[in-house]
Amino acid sequence: MDWDNLRYFLEVARCQRISLAAQRLGVQHSTVARRIQALEQELGLRLFHKSTVSGYSLTSDGLNLQQRLEPVENRLLAARDALAGKARPLSGTLRLGCTEAFGSYVLTPLLSQFQACYPDLTLELLPVPRPISLSRRDADLAIALERPQRGPYWCTRLADYNLRLYAHADYLSAHPPIEQIQDLSQHRFIAYVDDLLFSDSLRYLEEIVRSAPVRFRSTSVIAQYQATLQAQGLAVLPCFLAQTDPRLRCVLPEQIELRRRFWMFCHEEQRHNPSLTRLWHYLKHAVQERQALLDGA
């Protein structure tokens, strides 16, 4: 396959606009459209849903292609940096904003490994239960549950992850058995504060059991995790947070599984920052290597 066609495809997949992709690539709008059409004809696949309102959104085949291409792109960019002599020691400060549990339990170990390779680089991690605003310069790099819908951002899908229903072993032994979803109506739950949710993707219980009796609420998933450890009730938790804790039991694992996605993005002007691009490609590779943890395997 023609790598230029693939490169143009990746740019359109990230910004969802032909005109913006052309601007970033430094070519004409018609050139990008022609490249995308050529790639779709070569593969015999439809890669984008095209809309005058929402722009170019990936089809399932397009998403599959993006997931396969990005590791190749990462290796090419790393090779380019090394050959161009850019693999010099990095310095300065980078601030990374992300969701609370992912930042604390997945990213922190990864960032420690990254910093061991670049000891002159200072990293600031903001794992917070709220959205990070790059327009207000809250951070240089953000990882969020939702892709930014507008703005001059460089964006990529970082990883998908699973959530399941968990309870402490002591809670399960003291309450009626749970053999099917209907049995959940006899139990109490731990959840987010509804009117303070920063993303609709956090409305987990609505997908499992309606009118669930919630006895403890918190804006913090780590607080929910701690409440679950105190045997206060059932909670939907990320597998990367709960699956490795032997005190917790997964409830109805064959029937209840939710899947969500992390997006990573930065401001367009930061795209050529050597420190940020090095961290960007490192995280893409390192998080992909930990997909089993995110899946709760």
Side-chain angles (χ1 to χ4, degrees), residues 86-229:
K86 294 182 179 179
R88 58 184 180 275
L90 301 181
S91 60
T93 300
L94 280 180
R95 178 175 292 177
L96 171 60
C98 60
T99 57
E100 187 183 23
F102 186 70
S104 300
Y105 288 85
V106 179
L107 286 187
T108 296
L110 296 181
L111 293 177
S112 297
Q113 296 174 25
F114 180 80
Q115 201 160 29
C117 299
Y118 305 103
D120 295 330
L121 181 65
T122 299
L123 297 177
E124 298 178 350
L125 180 64
L126 280 63
V128 293
R130 61 173 176 81
I132 293 292
S133 173
L134 296 188
S135 61
R136 296 197 306 265
R137 300 298 193 239
D138 289 349
D140 302 303
L141 183 66
I143 295 173
L145 294 172
E146 296 175 350
R147 178 177 185 151
Q149 296 303 307
R150 61 182 62 86
Y153 299 124
W154 186 29
C155 181
T156 186
R157 183 193 69 88
L158 181 60
D160 292 349
Y161 68 101
N162 287 336
L163 304 102
R164 294 194 177 99
L165 190 63
Y166 293 92
H168 194 281
D170 291 346
Y171 174 88
L172 293 175
S173 63
H175 292 81
I178 304 173
E179 298 177 353
Q180 54 187 348
I181 291 181
Q182 289 81 354
D183 296 334
L184 296 176
S185 60
Q186 306 176 57
H187 293 264
R188 58 178 185 259
F189 288 83
I190 298 163
Y192 283 97
V193 181
D194 284 341
D195 57 345
L196 295 178
L197 284 174
F198 62 87
S199 171
D200 286 337
S201 64
L202 299 176
R203 298 185 185 278
Y204 306 134
L205 291 183
E206 295 179 6
E207 300 183 33
I208 299 173
V209 54
R210 295 191 177 277
S211 303
V214 179
R215 295 295 178 262
F216 181 85
R217 295 183 184 272
S218 175
T219 58
S220 165
V221 67
I222 294 179
Q224 295 174 41
Y225 167 61
Q226 291 297 329
T228 309
L229 291 178

Side-chain angles (χ1 to χ4, degrees), residues 221-260:
V221 67
I222 294 179
Q224 295 174 41
Y225 167 61
Q226 291 297 329
T228 309
L229 291 178
Q230 299 305 312
Q232 291 197 42
L234 303 166
V236 176
L237 298 171
C239 293
F240 62 77
L241 172 62
Q243 192 78 7
T244 57
D245 193 322
R247 296 168 292 182
L248 297 182
R249 301 290 183 269
C250 189
V251 178
L252 301 178
E254 301 300 323
Q255 301 178 53
I256 298 175
E257 181 179 271
L258 307 179
R259 196 155 181 86
R260 295 294 189 266

